[in-house]
Amino acid sequence: MRAGWSYVGRRALFALITVFIAISLNFVLFRLAPGDRTSALRCQGCTQEFKQQLRADFGLDKSKPEQYVIYLNQTLHGDFGRSFVTEQPVTSELWQPIKNTLPMILLGTIISIMLGVTTGVIAAWRRNTLADKGTVWGGILFYSLPTQWLALMLILYLAGPLNLPTSDIADPYLAYNNAGAWAEFVDRLKHMILPAATIGLVLFGEYTLIVRSSMLEALGEDYILTARAKGLSDWEIITKHALRNSMLPIVTLVFLSLGFIFGGTILIESVFNYPGIGLQIYESVGNRDYPMLQGAFLLLTVVIILMNFLADLLYFKLDPRVTE
Amino acid sequence: MSVVDAPMTPLDEVRKSPSRLRSLLSFLRKHPQAAIGFVILMLFVFVAIFGPYFAPYGEREQVGPIFGTPSSAHPLGLDDGGIDILSLLIYGARVTLIVGFAGAVVAMLVGGSIGIISGYFGGKIDNALMRTTDYFLVLPDLVLMIVVASIWGRSLRNIIIIIGLIYWTYMARLIRAQVKVVRERAYVKRAQALGATHTRIIFRHVIPQIAPLLLAQTVLMVALAIFLETAISFLGLGDPSVASWGKMIETAFSRSAISYGAWWAIAPPGIAVALVIMAFNMVGTAAEDSLNPRLRVSHLARRHFRLRPLPDKEPPK
Amino acid sequence: MTPVLVIEGLHVWFELPNHKELHAVKGISFELEPGERLGLVGESGCGKTTAILAMMGLLPPTASAAGKIILDGDDILAGGDTTMRPHRWKDISMVFQGAMNAFDPVKTIGSQIQEPIVKAKLAEGKAARLRTAELLELVGISGSRQDRYPHEFSGGMRQRAAIAMALACDPKVLLADEPTTALDVMVQAQILKLLVQLTDDLGLAMIMVTHDLPLVSQVCTRAAVMYAGEIAEIGTTHDLYHKPLHPYTRMLFSATPDLLAEQTVRSIPGAPPRLDQPLVGCPFQPRCDSALTVCASEAAPLRTGPDGHRAYCHLKDTA
């Protein structure tokens, strides 16, 4: 047993502080905006009654520090205010989109990790061969494609031939016709595959390049030579030593790219009209629905902070040197 | 355990070579990948500077039908307003590159200075600055950008500042790590012992040492900045008054180019963005690779050592 | 006694990026008997590490080799990597320079010692753990520490563990590449004592690469002095110390500070020649304090002495 609980504790504390700072930053960002949040420009089409309610909700007639305390209190109780558009609580409005987005992101990330790790490892192992050069060029290519553009290209050139839907999350007629759980599942998957493939391909470029270079770095270490001297096969050296060591930077990268993935979902979901958190943000931007935007931003930030905390725990598990 | 001594790093080359231009040329010669990227970049920079002089049509000039197909007069076809896409592409190069470079330079200045201060002085300043970057690193950048852009308003200047403010953290961390290494080198210690001021040491000794890394990172950052510009424009938060590649993709999408089957309205700006980003990445990664001597040796290779016959003229032993 | 290892005319070349070639080892030959400890001495870049990497078959892909490495009567170099691999670690094993990095930081010491044991099918599971514990005890580390990670060991302990790992498959020949650099003097002495004791107890032959001469005379019975990829002189350590035939050997010994003798330390001026171009005459001639005119133009002839003492030098009497 390693004396590492202080490490875990410290990372947890860090995560908590970060959440607090994110919450505060959220307050500052949105209150920095010019004008009252109920002013005509920022709450177009709001009824006079709704505006009154907003003022009361946010305590807009009070001083900034008082508003901050009210805001903190509300946020900690999971109250992010009400949407300007639907006039419903933000929390309940965000719940369904995030449930729609998560499986899509997960599928995309799995695609990218599998593709990226396989090609990156092969490229590093067969350094300077055709396979390596192909991987590097492919990686650079996919890394360079604008996400939204790649999504559009997939719609233009893949959706037709593969007969895949390019909009929405499910076919409403299936549920109407009682097509059964399996048919609905397949339909969901069909709606998910192109958005997920977009995420997968965009991340693949970055992952394969990083996996390759961290593998190369590991393969240059002395313990690899020792392993070779001990008569281990290439496969054993890669799986037992090199990959295990190069996992450390890869784990960091995967978790760090979460912010990028969430950003990417905004682009991807707006192209595919996929009713997830990204599309919600996209529409909130168009509608100037600040409470929704604020809630979504905070939610995503907190999710990322939590995932980073998970990454720290994973790191602790992977690297015995991490104790302080 | 290294069998052959590690070859010189470009850092040494820059230090040794009499002129920067010559070291650039020798770097490009050694890395064909970087050379190709460099040529592509120069091409786009040329278009960005002189484009308006040779663009066939104006950027707001309707010259044919909506989504007109590519023809000899309009090799890339027309967009939803009947505007020549090739001309738009040429005009857009300027804005896209300006945003990319300016965003990266802001990130470099902010991140570079913080990295240098943090790495050079260490201690409490270092701790505070690095904790700050920790917080910034977890923020979802595009989301933050959308929030800021929708609050601050849509302008080129805002986009540049936002890009810089989002990406300074990456720069700061990398530079800090490098400065920490440089700070421990003998001549910096000697300069300190001789009573040189911090400013003098930083400008005379530290910055010249980290300059190649700073440059390589800035190049990579330009690619990121262009990426973000297209994204922010795509979300309708770009500067409404100017043409950029990101905005071209956005208008093509929002005006249903896909339903029209007008691939020529979507493909060219995306390819242009991809080419530029690729070029920056090619130059940047080559520079980064050659700055990292650890990637030079690999103890595991597909090929093994070869056997050869004994030399004809056997030496006396 | 029949030698366990015979090296015959071993050459190693490296391809350089500029299409040049570096002739790192130029036809060295020597024999090693069971239980014998041979020192391989020389300045850095003289090809000593390359020579033992060749004996392990661990040369990088840019290298090519020629000559014979005869283990128990078989030339194991004949088929390149294919014929060397079966003997790696089982017959010839190695203690690497800087044991700090010879262990994978994310695996326990024990699991890394076990790897070759399991690989060679000597033991499995519990038995392999037991064997690992025995090996650790053999080098003076408690067997219960096999579940520790490398960073939890001190430098000296890591080097002991590296020796234990090298002994995992009962090799016949142990190659040690600068086994005590980066260790402090006390630990150095302990490690050397351990190596001597182990080779005596196990009847293990050892080649120790070092640039540290006093170390050679403490540990080794014989030594080979390498210069510019060649063996300049080989013989018993006593002969090399007291009756050197080659001026390089003499100068090398007097370049070493000796606490007891009241001699001034002399360093050897100049630098070894570049090995990426052909050399004419004796390679040491430009730095030699007793060079003759013939040295610059003609390769040095073999001179022999008692007890297999050999040197390549134009001088007629003791250097």
Side-chain angles (χ1 to χ4, degrees):
Chain A
M1 208 51 231
R2 278 185 285 149
W5 291 109
S6 69
Y7 166 81
V8 175
R10 227 159 331 126
R11 298 317 296 175
L13 186 68
F14 174 75
L16 276 178
I17 295 175
T18 316
V19 168
F20 178 74
I21 288 181
I23 291 173
S24 307
L25 188 71
N26 208 5
F27 175 82
V28 174
L29 264 181
F30 283 86
R31 305 292 156 113
L32 265 185
D36 189 324
R37 57 166 50 215
T38 62
S39 65
L41 180 76
R42 302 185 59 202
C43 189
Q44 290 159 336
C46 294
T47 58
Q48 206 53 44
E49 192 189 5
F50 183 60
K51 285 190 183 180
Q52 282 307 322
Q53 194 189 336
L54 274 183
R55 282 183 201 280
D57 279 1
F58 291 111
L60 290 185
D61 37 3
K62 301 200 173 75
S63 70
K64 285 270 146 94
E66 276 175 300
Q67 287 182 29
Y68 178 60
V69 173
I70 293 173
Y71 162 82
L72 271 187
N73 193 30
Q74 286 172 341
T75 309
L76 292 179
H77 288 93
D79 177 6
F80 298 120
R82 285 163 182 277
S83 161
F84 283 173
V85 177
T86 62
E87 305 195 357
Q88 293 297 310
V90 166
T91 328
S92 61
E93 291 284 288
L94 285 176
W95 181 235
Q96 188 56 41
I98 200 116
K99 273 202 300 188
N100 291 344
T101 296
L102 283 180
M104 195 260 287
I105 291 183
L106 201 66
L107 184 63
T109 312
I110 291 173
I111 293 176
S112 62
I113 291 177
M114 278 177 12
L115 266 179
V117 170
T118 327
T119 53
V121 166
I122 292 175
W125 178 26
R126 316 229 157 155
R127 191 179 188 187
N128 290 333
T129 62
L130 212 64
D132 179 24
K133 289 190 176 116
T135 304
V136 171
W137 282 99
I140 291 184
L141 175 71
F142 279 104
Y143 186 57
S144 309
L145 298 179
T147 316
Q148 69 278 20
W149 184 79
L150 182 63
L152 289 171
M153 288 290 119
L154 290 186
I155 289 184
L156 264 179
Y157 294 108
L158 268 189
L162 296 180
N163 199 16
L164 288 171
T166 58
S167 174
D168 219 335
I169 189 172
D171 186 347
Y173 292 107
L174 283 180
Y176 182 74
N177 291 337
N178 280 325
W182 174 248
E184 278 185 40
F185 174 73
V186 171
D187 178 58
R188 275 290 189 105
L189 212 59
K190 276 186 175 173
H191 280 85
M192 206 186 283
I193 194 75
L194 283 184
T198 314
I199 294 188
L201 288 177
V202 169
L203 286 177
F204 154 75
E206 190 182 8
Y207 287 180
T208 190
L209 292 177
I210 299 287
V211 169
R212 174 181 174 273
S213 73
S214 77
M215 271 299 277
L216 279 180
E217 203 157 302
L219 288 178
E221 297 285 350
D222 291 347
Y223 54 77
I224 298 294
L225 191 63
T226 312
R228 256 188 79 199
K230 287 193 289 189
L232 301 195
S233 68
D234 283 9
W235 175 250
E236 286 170 311
I237 293 175
I238 286 174
T239 52
K240 289 187 183 159
H241 295 286
L243 201 55
R244 184 64 206 281
N245 275 279
S246 56
M247 275 321 281
L248 302 175
I250 295 168
V251 164
T252 317
L253 176 80
V254 169
F255 282 91
L256 265 185
S257 56
L258 272 173
F260 177 80
I261 295 176
F262 281 124
T265 58
I266 302 176
L267 302 165
I268 291 168
E269 290 182 353
S270 50
V271 171
F272 288 100
N273 196 28
Y274 190 91
I277 187 86
L279 188 65
Q280 186 61 255
I281 293 176
Y282 179 68
E283 284 173 350
S284 304
V285 169
N287 296 331
R288 310 228 158 244
D289 191 348
Y290 287 97
M292 281 298 274
L293 210 51
Q294 190 173 12
F297 179 60
L298 190 59
L299 186 70
L300 290 188
T301 312
V302 170
V303 169
I304 291 173
I305 293 168
L306 285 180
M307 290 302 236
N308 272 287
F309 176 59
L310 273 184
D312 285 333
L313 293 187
L314 198 58
Y315 224 96
F316 178 62
K317 187 109 186 65
L318 282 177
D319 190 347
R321 288 165 294 185
V322 173
T323 46
E324 55 232 26
Chain B
M1 217 189 289
S2 77
V3 180
V4 183
D5 285 342
M8 272 197 313
T9 65
L11 224 64
D12 296 320
E13 285 168 33
V14 171
R15 223 175 295 136
K16 271 184 58 185
S17 87
S19 90
R20 292 282 155 110
L21 185 68
R22 247 179 62 191
S23 78
L24 175 70
L25 287 179
S26 86
F27 168 73
L28 292 178
R29 223 186 350 261
K30 269 184 219 147
H31 301 267
Q33 182 197 326
I36 298 171
F38 190 73
V39 170
I40 297 176
L41 276 188
M42 286 297 111
L43 215 72
F44 275 105
V45 169
F46 178 80
V47 169
I49 296 173
F50 300 105
Y53 298 105
F54 60 75
Y57 304 97
E59 61 176 309
R60 288 196 177 77
E61 186 183 354
Q62 178 163 12
V63 291
I66 286 172
F67 288 127
T69 48
S71 62
S72 54
H74 308 290
L76 295 178
L78 304 176
D79 78 349
D80 61 285
I83 300 168
D84 182 55
I85 290 191
L86 180 63
S87 307
L88 263 183
L89 212 54
I90 292 172
Y91 280 101
R94 184 177 283 189
V95 174
T96 305
L97 286 180
I98 286 179
V99 171
F101 274 110
V105 167
V106 173
M108 182 196 73
L109 290 178
V110 177
S113 353
I114 289 181
I116 290 172
I117 292 171
S118 200
Y120 181 79
F121 292 103
K124 276 189 187 138
I125 302 175
D126 184 30
N127 231 321
L129 287 175
M130 283 306 113
R131 286 293 81 77
T132 317
T133 62
D134 279 346
Y135 298 122
F136 269 86
L137 276 174
V138 298
L139 293 177
D141 41 22
L142 187 60
V143 186
L144 177 65
M145 192 158 168
I146 287 167
V147 169
V148 176
S150 64
I151 292 171
W152 283 5
R154 304 158 61 177
S155 81
L156 222 50
R157 196 201 58 205
N158 282 354
I159 290 183
I160 291 170
I161 295 176
I162 293 165
I163 290 175
L165 288 186
I166 285 175
Y167 284 139
W168 69 271
T169 44
Y170 293 91
M171 198 64 129
R173 304 209 125 218
L174 277 161
I175 294 303
R176 166 183 174 267
Q178 189 67 20
V179 169
K180 274 195 173 305
V181 176
V182 172
R183 191 184 58 175
E184 298 308 318
R185 292 204 178 130
Y187 54 85
V188 174
K189 292 267 171 225
R190 195 173 58 220
Q192 276 168 343
L194 289 173
T197 61
H198 291 313
T199 330
R200 188 182 157 83
I201 294 174
I202 287 174
F203 280 95
R204 288 293 295 268
H205 299 294
V206 176
I207 291 181
Q209 286 298 310
I210 60 161
L213 181 76
L214 205 60
L215 211 65
Q217 286 306 319
T218 310
V219 169
L220 288 172
M221 198 109 332
V222 178
L224 276 179
I226 291 177
F227 210 85
L228 262 192
E229 190 275 333
T230 67
I232 207 89
S233 301
F234 184 76
L235 296 172
L237 291 168
D239 193 324
S241 62
V242 290
S244 81
W245 295 338
K247 212 176 127 209
M248 287 174 75
I249 301 176
E250 190 261 330
T251 43
F253 169 66
S254 61
R255 307 282 164 79
S256 319
I258 288 194
S259 329
Y260 281 92
W263 56 266
W264 56 87
I266 308 172
I271 293 173
V273 172
L275 265 179
V276 169
I277 294 182
M278 235 169 115
F280 276 112
N281 281 332
M282 275 148 75
V283 176
T285 46
E288 213 184 21
D289 256 13
S290 63
L291 285 172
N292 188 352
R294 291 231 278 158
L295 297 185
R296 287 171 181 282
V297 213
S298 172
H299 291 309
L300 196 64
R302 173 99 194 92
R303 216 153 56 86
H304 296 288
F305 68 93
R306 288 169 301 132
L307 288 175
R308 61 158 89 171
L310 286 170
D312 295 338
K313 208 173 64 185
E314 181 72 351
K317 46 211 77 168
Chain C
M1 241 199 288
T2 38
V4 57
L5 185 72
V6 180
I7 307 294
E8 247 180 65
L10 179 69
H11 289 261
V12 180
W13 297 262
F14 289 111
E15 268 167 46
L16 296 180
N18 48 4
H19 301 290
K20 277 193 191 165
E21 208 172 49
L22 191 145
H23 199 167
V25 177
K26 300 179 172 177
I28 59 170
S29 305
F30 61 84
E31 294 177 354
L32 191 68
E33 290 185 353
E36 187 181 25
R37 290 184 292 271
L38 175 78
L40 207 53
V41 208
E43 290 163 287
S44 55
C46 72
K48 51 193 196 302
T49 297
T50 305
I52 63 162
L53 281 178
M55 290 172 217
M56 285 295 287
L58 288 180
L59 293 170
T62 51
S64 45
K68 284 179 180 160
I69 297 173
I70 302 166
L71 181 80
D72 280 336
D74 292 326
D75 180 8
I76 59 169
L77 185 63
D81 188 68
T82 327
T83 47
M84 303 230 45
R85 203 182 307 142
H87 300 282
R88 217 178 268 161
W89 220 257
K90 290 180 207 95
D91 294 314
I92 306 180
S93 72
M94 184 163 174
V95 176
F96 287 96
Q97 187 178 4
M100 302 297 161
N101 307 317
F103 284 102
D104 182 338
V106 303
K107 302 226 145 175
T108 59
I109 294 275
S111 75
Q112 299 186 56
I113 296 177
Q114 269 182 46
E115 259 175 355
I117 300 175
V118 175
K119 181 83 189 163
K121 299 202 170 62
L122 293 175
E124 253 185 289
K126 268 236 168 73
R129 273 186 68 83
L130 212 64
R131 168 117 183 98
T132 306
E134 279 170 20
L135 285 165
L136 285 173
E137 303 276 356
L138 198 62
V139 297
I141 297 175
S142 157
S144 60
R145 305 190 74 161
Q146 62 171 308
D147 294 322
R148 296 300 180 89
Y149 288 93
H151 72 278
E152 296 172 294
F153 275 28
S154 69
M157 273 171 73
R158 239 179 292 181
Q159 193 59 285
R160 282 168 188 271
I163 294 170
M165 186 159 73
L167 299 176
C169 300
D170 283 323
K172 297 181 179 114
V173 179
L174 180 68
L175 308 175
D177 186 5
E178 309 261 8
T180 56
T181 39
L183 297 177
D184 63 60
V185 186
M186 285 299 290
V187 182
Q188 246 183 41
Q190 289 168 4
I191 297 284
L192 292 176
K193 215 176 120 199
L194 177 69
L195 283 172
V196 170
Q197 184 200 330
L198 284 172
T199 44
D200 281 345
D201 293 355
L202 306 171
L204 187 67
M206 178 172 85
I207 300 178
M208 188 169 80
V209 166
T210 180
H211 59 265
D212 192 349
L213 283 164
L215 208 136
V216 170
S217 42
Q218 273 173 45
V219 174
C220 299
T221 39
R222 277 201 313 149
V225 176
M226 282 189 75
Y227 187 78
E230 296 168 358
I231 290 184
E233 183 167 3
I234 184 168
T236 61
T237 28
H238 182 268
D239 282 351
L240 289 192
Y241 218 120
H242 299 285
K243 291 180 277 181
L245 293 175
H246 200 293
Y248 180 58
T249 312
R250 170 177 46 81
M251 291 166 82
L252 208 55
F253 274 96
S254 58
T256 311
D258 191 335
L259 282 178
L260 300 175
E262 292 275 322
Q263 283 171 318
T264 46
V265 178
R266 274 166 294 171
S267 66
I268 308 176
R274 296 175 55 143
L275 296 177
D276 55 354
Q277 38 207 220
L279 298 173
V280 182
C282 170
F284 187 60
Q285 171 267 330
R287 299 169 76 189
C288 188
D289 58 357
S290 28
L292 311 167
T293 25
V294 65
C295 295
S297 54
E298 275 174 51
L302 174 67
R303 293 176 61 201
T304 51
D307 299 325
H309 196 172
R310 288 182 291 145
Y312 295 89
C313 185
H314 284 287
L315 295 178
K316 293 288 182 283
D317 48 329
T318 313

